Structures are given as C-alpha cells and as structure tokens.
Amino acid sequence: MTQSPVAIPASPPVLRFAPSPTGLLHVGNARTALYNALLARRAGGTFILRYDDTDAARSTAAFAEAIAQDLDWLGIPPDRVARQSDRVALYRAAAERLKAMGRLYPAYESEEELEQRRLSRRRRGLPPIYDRAALALTGDDRARLEAEGRRPHWRFRLDGRAVSWVDGVRGAQTVDTATLSDPVLVREDGTFLYTLPSVVDDIDMGVTLVVRGEDHVTNTGVQIEIIEALGAVPPGFAHHNLLTLPSGEGLSKRLGHLSLRALREDGQEALAVAALAALTGTSLAVQAVPDLDTLAAKIDLAAISRAPARFDPDDLAGLTAATLHLADHAAVAERLAGLGIGGGAAFWNAVRGNLGRITDAARWWQVVTGPLAPVIAPEDRGFLDQALAVLPPEPWGEDVWPVWIAALKPSAGRSGRALFHPLRLALTAAESGPELKALLPLIGRERAAARLRGEAA
Ligand code: GLU
C-alpha cells in the first residue's frame, strides 16, 4: 500500500510595517502597511508594527501613538508591537559580531573630508563612493586619531558582488554592491542608523517577507549581505511603487502630505482610503470594497506597477460614498450611535445610497425623527389635502407607500413628478433623497400627516 505524502503546512508568514515615528502616516505609508497587514491576515500570519525609532532626535511618542491610532482606524491593528529603542542591546551584539569578523570597521573621516573626497573622485571620473581609506589604518593611526579627539563611526565592509533576489513585485533583481559605499551602520556617538537594526530585527522576529517601498531596493542589496554575514537566511522582499501627489511630487511624512489623520478628519471612510491606497498603481480596478477581507483577497504583489502612481484625493470622495453605499448596518452601527443616529438597519438601508459621508446620515435622521418644516407650494395645497385624506391607517408595513400611491393616483389625477415631488417636499423638505417608499414607514403616520397639513413635525 502506498502512503500518501504528508502535507507539511508552510509556517504562517510574519510581516512587519516599520515606520519611523517622525511624522503622521500618509497614504503612501498606508499602502505599505496595508500590503503587509493584509498579506499576513490572508495567510493567518503575524503582522508586526515595529517603530524604527533609533533616531531619537526626530522620533516622538506622540507620533508613535498617532501611528497606532491610524492603523486601528484603517482596521489593521498589529498583532505585535516593538520599538527599536528597546532593543539596542541586540544591535550592539550584532555589531560586535560583525567587528569580530572584520566586516565592521572604524572610520574617522568628517563629513567635510568625505565631501572633499567625493568631489575629487568625481573630478577624476570615478564614482563618488567611499574609498575605504579607513581600512588601511593601523593601530597606531587609530590611536593618534583618537588622541586628537576623533571618535570612529563604523562601516560595513561590503563584499562588492552581485546580490540577487526574486522580488515579489519587480521579479529578478540584482544590486551590485561594488558600486556602493560601505554603509555606515553605527554613528560616532554609538547610535545606530536604520540599516543594521532593521536587519537584526527581521532576523530576530522571524520576518518571512518584507514589503516596502521601492526607495529601499538598493538597501536590500546591502541588507542581504549583512543578513548573510550574520549567518541568517534572507526573508523574501517585495518593493512596491511609490504613490505621489497629483502633481507628481513625492509624499512626505515630514511635510504632512495626505495624512491619514487629515483624511479621517475630512470624513473619508477608512475602507475607501484603504482601497484607494492599495489598488492605485496596480493593474487591478480601483473600486469600493465591503470589508478588508475582500480587499485582502484582491492584493496581488505581481499586479503592482513599476512606475510611480498618482494618488488623487479627489477620487476619494466618490470612493467614500461608494463604500458607504456598500456598507452593512453592522459595520457602521457603532459610528451611527456615536453620531446620535438610531433607526437600525431599516434606517441605514434606506439612506446609505444617498450619503457622501457618514455624517450626512444625520440630515436624514432629522427627516425621520423631526422636527422638520415641510415645504409646500401654494398650488399643491389641494393635492396634499387629497393625499392626507387617503393616507392609510396604521399599522404601517413596508408596503404603505405603494398602497397610499395606488389610492391617491386616480383621485388626484396626477402622475410622475407632479405626483411625487410635492409629496417629497412636504415629507422631507428636500428636493431629492432616499426613496420615499423606504422613508415613509420610518417617518410614521402621525409625523407624515402633520407635515402634509403643513405643520412642522
Ligand atoms: N523605517 C523605514 C521606512 O519607513 C523602514 C523600511 C523597511 O521597511 O525596512 O522607510
């Protein structure tokens, strides 16, 4: 008897979003966060929020808090939160290992000296990369420099080779690290630049896939070298295109471009922002989704374009409306309650198709609950008296509107707009809006009768 092969489940993926808490997240950051969070969610994996806060001068607790709130608002709260500022011991240990291997070496050049050397290399037609002069320093040289009061920064000695990976978005990629400067990993004051902590954390946290902006492609060549030097296997990498403003200008966290905070305060739907941020700049249709799982199911790294993509905030208004039109009552019930709006699913289903923003529901809640001053043209007075006379008695079910209209039409001798428009104006004081068929039972007989009589109710 042949035994069927045992299926070994692939271990669930671990993805992370690693913002520096130096500003408010913008839609481009949301794109990165969503890809990571939704790919993790779809596969039953883990989504980590990792604050890249080694830059103590620019990172703030308030921005970190705002980032967490923005992810909650988007509906992608992390499964785990980590702060690089809590993990410095790990980075120190990794730096010591690299030093012991001769891969991390001290260099003493000042910024001005480096700039001079770059200029002189350019003049000689050489690429302006670091010339590795510090590798030639003897122990005596170093002692002399330190006696002068110089402190070293530390550079990673690149192999200078073709580093290749298969990128989830861009396909086969190669970075020739021979064309790059040996990166500084540790500053003079002993603090770490982004490169090493990121690698150490990705290894330590078991990150399986790094999805980030294509501004990091070159870093990936460097980081794969460091990961391998530390004896680890690189995760997968996928570099998505960047979103720009409609003008083509890149988004800046520092300048507060298209911040999620501002879009939220403007009344845009989180799900609409998520759909636009994730689907713009891909071969997929940009459309409203009923929930994040639906969006997660659509995400396809291979469908992401290579060119930068313009994010047009003007598209957001339409998508916010379309998102509300799709939303189930359960998805909005809490927010409606917060706006003082009741009426349950019957009210929501009646009005959602007429909303541009969720706060517009307040106007229709007012129509349903009053008080409202009816709008009645003098020439319609008689018609509305007729309408009042045949207004069905209670109890009112869902069919009260067709029953009423069937009774009214022959006696009034009107049809179409001449029939419906005066009723709409009297009952809702508005030129247009949700179907009267759905609104009338919510308004109720007493209030409807008063409005037909011309009384505010
Ligand atoms: N803090 C980096 C950034 O926001 C993280 C890049 C990465 O994902 O490795 O660009």
Side-chain angles (χ1 to χ4, degrees):
M1 193 178 100
T2 56
Q3 223 177 338
S4 58
V6 179
I8 302 171
S11 44
V14 179
L15 294 95
R16 86 312 190 265
F17 174 53
S20 56
T22 54
L24 293 174
L25 296 185
H26 55 56
V27 290
N29 305 128
R31 181 177 183 81
T32 311
L34 284 158
Y35 288 152
N36 283 290
L38 296 181
L39 289 174
R41 175 187 297 213
R42 190 167 83 184
T46 304
F47 172 52
I48 301 171
L49 167 60
R50 189 174 75 214
Y51 292 111
D52 278 10
D53 61 352
T54 55
D55 183 347
R58 291 174 55 224
S59 300
T60 73
F63 283 134
E65 178 56 30
I67 287 170
Q69 283 173 6
D70 286 344
L71 295 187
D72 279 353
W73 179 67
L74 281 174
I76 51 170
D79 302 309
R80 175 181 171 191
V81 179
R83 281 180 185 72
Q84 291 196 322
S85 51
D86 293 339
R87 300 169 57 82
V88 175
L90 276 176
Y91 314 144
R92 288 213 181 100
E96 290 311 313
R97 283 178 60 204
L98 293 173
K99 284 181 195 173
M101 288 174 219
R103 292 301 296 270
L104 195 61
Y105 62 93
Y108 294 83
E109 293 90 348
S110 66
E111 219 12 83
E112 296 75 50
E113 285 164 339
L114 291 171
E115 183 55 30
Q116 281 305 320
R117 288 207 210 150
R118 279 194 288 267
L119 284 174
S120 106
R121 283 180 68 92
R122 276 220 181 82
R123 273 198 299 272
R124 286 180 285 149
L126 298 170
I129 61 175
Y130 180 58
D131 61 9
R132 294 183 154 169
L135 272 179
L137 294 175
T138 63
D140 283 351
D141 294 334
R142 293 185 52 193
R144 187 177 37 76
L145 287 163
E146 299 206 9
E148 284 171 13
R150 299 228 196 182
R151 308 285 310 143
H153 52 271
W154 296 80
R155 289 187 185 262
F156 179 75
R157 185 172 53 73
L158 290 166
D159 278 338
R161 61 180 164 98
V163 177
S164 299
W165 72 94
V166 178
D167 193 280
V169 174
R170 301 160 62 90
Q173 296 288 292
T174 299
V175 170
D176 180 0
T177 60
T179 64
L180 304 176
S181 295
D182 286 344
V184 177
L185 301 190
V186 191
R187 298 187 187 90
E188 266 176 39
D189 63 2
T191 60
F192 291 89
L193 283 104
Y194 146 80
T195 309
L196 183 64
S198 180
V199 159
V200 168
D201 283 340
D202 287 343
I203 296 171
D204 182 68
M205 296 173 178
V207 169
T208 56
L209 176 62
V210 172
V211 184
R212 58 186 177 185
E214 65 186 7
D215 48 331
H216 287 286
V217 168
T218 306
N219 278 344
T220 297
V222 169
Q223 290 184 335
I224 288 176
E225 275 209 20
I226 301 175
I227 293 166
E228 290 178 350
L230 290 170
V233 178
F237 286 95
H239 295 87
H240 63 75
N241 57 353
L242 300 180
L243 297 181
T244 71
L245 293 172
S247 64
E249 188 188 344
L251 296 176
S252 155
K253 197 153 54 172
R254 199 167 42 81
L255 299 178
H257 287 147
L258 290 179
S259 76
L260 298 180
R261 179 67 54 100
L263 297 175
R264 175 174 59 184
E265 283 169 1
D266 186 39
Q268 304 301 335
E269 286 295 302
L271 207 46
V273 173
L276 195 54
L279 300 173
T280 297
T282 73
S283 57
L284 306 168
V286 177
Q287 53 190 200
V289 290
D291 51 49
L292 276 180
D293 286 335
T294 305
L295 185 59
K298 285 177 187 273
I299 303 293
D300 176 6
L301 294 174
I304 297 174
S305 326
R306 295 283 295 267
R310 284 164 210 262
F311 180 98
D312 193 340
D314 288 346
D315 294 341
L316 204 47
L319 210 54
T320 280
T323 299
L324 290 169
H325 303 171
L326 281 181
D328 281 341
H329 178 249
V332 292
E334 208 172 298
R335 289 157 67 208
L336 291 176
L339 292 167
I341 296 170
F347 171 73
W348 176 251
N349 293 339
V351 305
R352 64 181 176 180
N354 287 80
L355 306 180
R357 298 187 181 168
I358 195 165
T359 46
D360 296 345
R363 171 160 167 242
W364 299 112
W365 185 236
Q366 174 83 23
V367 166
V368 164
T369 57
L372 187 86
V375 174
I376 296 175
E379 63 272 23
D380 288 325
R381 188 58 273 162
F383 165 65
L384 292 174
D385 286 339
Q386 288 176 316
L388 180 58
V390 293
L391 191 61
E394 283 178 315
W396 276 10
E398 277 181 9
D399 62 347
V400 61
W401 172 258
V403 168
W404 184 30
I405 294 304
L408 178 59
K409 219 172 176 173
S411 62
R414 295 186 182 207
S415 65
R417 186 177 159 88
L419 175 73
F420 297 120
H421 198 60
L423 295 178
R424 177 174 289 285
L425 283 175
L427 292 170
T428 71
E431 290 284 339
S432 61
E435 278 185 35
L436 290 172
K437 177 179 187 305
L439 283 183
L440 186 61
L442 297 166
I443 292 171
R445 191 176 196 286
E446 194 182 329
R447 197 170 286 114
R451 290 179 190 170
L452 292 170
R453 287 192 296 269
E455 298 160 15

